[in-house]
């Protein structure tokens, strides 16, 4: 039994699959909280292990996703690379397999697009980065604009920094509110954003326009690719149902 | 001229020195924001380069701190390892040298203990993780309980997650409030902590007691080591003044 599969002392095993062009704060935020949960074991993994470099940070010594037998929590971060990953059936198969072993299936940001493409969000409410939230419905999910959404055993967080609120919410479920609050205090999470610009509904109009204009360069092509995966997946699922 | 020293297109060069037992979110939070600043160049460095592993994350391909000629922003993260680093004169010498080249000297969490030990906070107001904030006075600084503190060209953030508020504040100084707000929107920073337990003043009494009891195991010895460094540094400084 290798390190990734050692189930010691009933530790809470949390697996975070990462990939090229992941958004690092989507998982480093939750990771900081998860690793301080007493009796937790947090494994960051990628297809084939190795290392992933993103925006000048290199994450090394990653576990091989395929070698992880099971987990208690699967936590899938987002990032622009999620689009390539939902086109990668080998990756999706690992997500589906590990989700099948997990007590909790979860995501941060556009990680929910990956959960959707893995067929794990059908009929479920879910959060996502605001720029892609509506696309969840292509996978049969119900987009929810809350910062953290729970639907049964599926916990999803909104964009990037929502990962911290998500982590505290999931940790409350895992080990209770007192332990979660102790973590919040030790990581001094008493946010004071200098502006109220974190949501399209509250950002000044010119700021929203700037961000939308920037997205206009990349989003249409990415949305088409997501829609293509969703269409294939939903029709395959329909065919499978008809064949039964 | 190597990569670390290439000054291309007047980019804003931000250097983040890390070390063993750094708290990863202290710098991964700001890093996520800094790397999205247009025309920024963010370099994560360590003594000798190589890699730093902390809480199961390995940060590889680090620049060698000593090989970096200069920077616009020096941003020093904190973590329990800061105590060993203030006892390491070679490291402190690099901090002092780079701070001398920087337009802005900054820190997150107990990174301000390192700035203090480098003699960069004399007479300056500064933030720190709440558990160590009072210790800044041993280095001649004025502890400030604000989440982000600016005193001249020195920007300091409070504990761990304060790094995000700190980054947005510094980015506003660097590139203006519109660009900072665009970043806040694109990283969806509209925090909704599930509890109001992020500061000792607001945390429930039993939660504060739990955290303090845990700290009691390690803090007294660490405080003594910090005090020892401070005493040597302040007396050397006094001697130097008397000798003039």
């Amino acid at each position: 039994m290798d390190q990734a599969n050692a189930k010691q002392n009933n530790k809470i095993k949390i697996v975070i699959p990462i990939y090229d062009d992941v958004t690092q704060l989507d998982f480093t935020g939750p990771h900081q909280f998860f690793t301080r949960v007493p009796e937790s074991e947090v494994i960051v993994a990628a297809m084939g292990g190795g290392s992933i470099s993103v925006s000048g940070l290199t994450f090394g010594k990653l576990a091989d996703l395929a070698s992880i037998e099971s987990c208690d929590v699967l936590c899938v971060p987002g990032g622009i690379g999620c689009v390539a990953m939902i086109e990668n059936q080998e990756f999706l198969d690992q997500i589906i397999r590990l989700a099948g072993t997990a007590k909790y299936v979860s995501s941060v940001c556009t990680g929910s697009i990956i959960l959707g493409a893995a067929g794990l969000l059908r009929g479920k409410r879910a959060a996502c980065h605001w720029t892609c939230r509506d696309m969840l419905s292509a996978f049969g999910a119900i987009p929810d604009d809350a910062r953290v959404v729970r639907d049964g055993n599926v916990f999803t967080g909104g964009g990037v920094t929502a990962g911290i609120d998500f982590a505290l919410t999931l940790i409350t479920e895992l080990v209770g509110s007192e332990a979660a609050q102790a973590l919040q205090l030790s990581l001094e999470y008493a946010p004071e954003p200098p502006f109220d610009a974190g949501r399209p509904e509250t950002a000044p109009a010119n700021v929203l326009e700037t961000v939308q204009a920037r997205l206009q360069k990349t989003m249409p092509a990415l949305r088409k690719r997501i829609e293509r995966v969703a269409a294939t997946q939903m029709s395959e699922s329909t065919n499978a149902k008809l064949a039964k």
Side-chain angles (χ1 to χ4, degrees), chain A:
Chain A
M1 197 150 69
D2 65 15
Q3 206 199 337
N5 290 320
K7 185 93 175 177
Q8 299 155 328
N9 310 323
N10 290 318
K11 281 189 174 174
I12 301 168
K13 190 165 158 184
I14 302 172
V15 171
I16 301 176
I18 69 171
Y19 47 83
D20 288 334
D21 291 323
V22 69
T23 298
Q24 60 89 355
L25 189 54
D26 282 15
F27 72 93
T28 51
H31 189 279
Q32 185 68 66
F33 283 76
F34 288 151
T35 51
R36 294 208 185 172
V37 171
E39 301 302 315
S40 73
E41 182 193 3
V42 188
I43 300 170
V44 182
M47 292 297 281
S51 69
I52 296 282
S53 291
V54 58
S55 305
L57 279 181
T58 297
F59 296 91
K61 297 188 186 169
L62 301 171
D64 180 2
L65 194 58
S67 78
I68 301 171
E69 219 168 71
S70 65
C71 61
D72 298 301
V73 177
L74 178 67
C75 174
V76 183
I80 209 162
C82 79
V83 180
M85 297 320 285
I86 64 172
E87 295 167 337
N88 178 336
Q89 194 57 48
E90 281 180 49
F91 176 78
L92 283 185
D93 285 346
Q94 295 301 330
I95 297 296
I96 294 165
R97 181 183 64 78
L98 281 167
T101 73
K103 287 194 195 78
Y104 300 98
V105 172
S106 69
S107 65
V108 176
C109 196
T110 51
S112 57
I113 298 286
I114 294 175
L115 296 186
L120 299 164
L121 294 182
R122 303 268 171 88
K124 289 198 185 286
R125 287 181 303 110
C128 190
H129 192 283
W130 62 270
T131 53
C132 296
R133 196 189 295 135
D134 64 304
M135 304 218 68
L136 290 175
S137 52
F139 297 104
I142 305 149
D144 190 316
D145 69 357
R147 192 146 173 92
V148 184
V149 175
R150 176 184 191 167
D151 191 334
N153 74 331
V154 178
F155 286 69
T156 50
V160 198
T161 54
I164 293 175
D165 298 316
F166 150 83
L168 275 174
T169 305
L170 183 53
I171 287 167
T172 303
E173 170 76 13
L174 293 169
V175 291
S177 65
E178 204 175 311
Q181 288 175 92
L183 269 174
Q184 183 177 358
L185 178 57
S186 72
L187 297 169
E188 210 169 324
Y189 186 48
E192 290 180 23
F195 310 102
D196 186 13
R199 298 171 62 97
E201 298 80 10
T202 64
N206 59 331
V207 169
L208 181 56
E209 274 164 33
T210 302
V211 173
Q212 281 176 326
R214 226 178 274 158
L215 290 168
Q216 200 49 39
K217 292 175 196 157
T218 51
M219 280 301 286
L222 294 174
R223 289 178 74 95
K224 267 190 196 152
R225 288 167 64 189
I226 295 172
E227 278 161 11
R228 206 176 300 139
V229 172
T232 309
Q233 195 231 46
M234 296 300 274
S235 78
E236 275 173 5
S237 150
T238 309
N239 292 342
K241 273 184 203 151
L242 291 173
K244 273 180 192 166

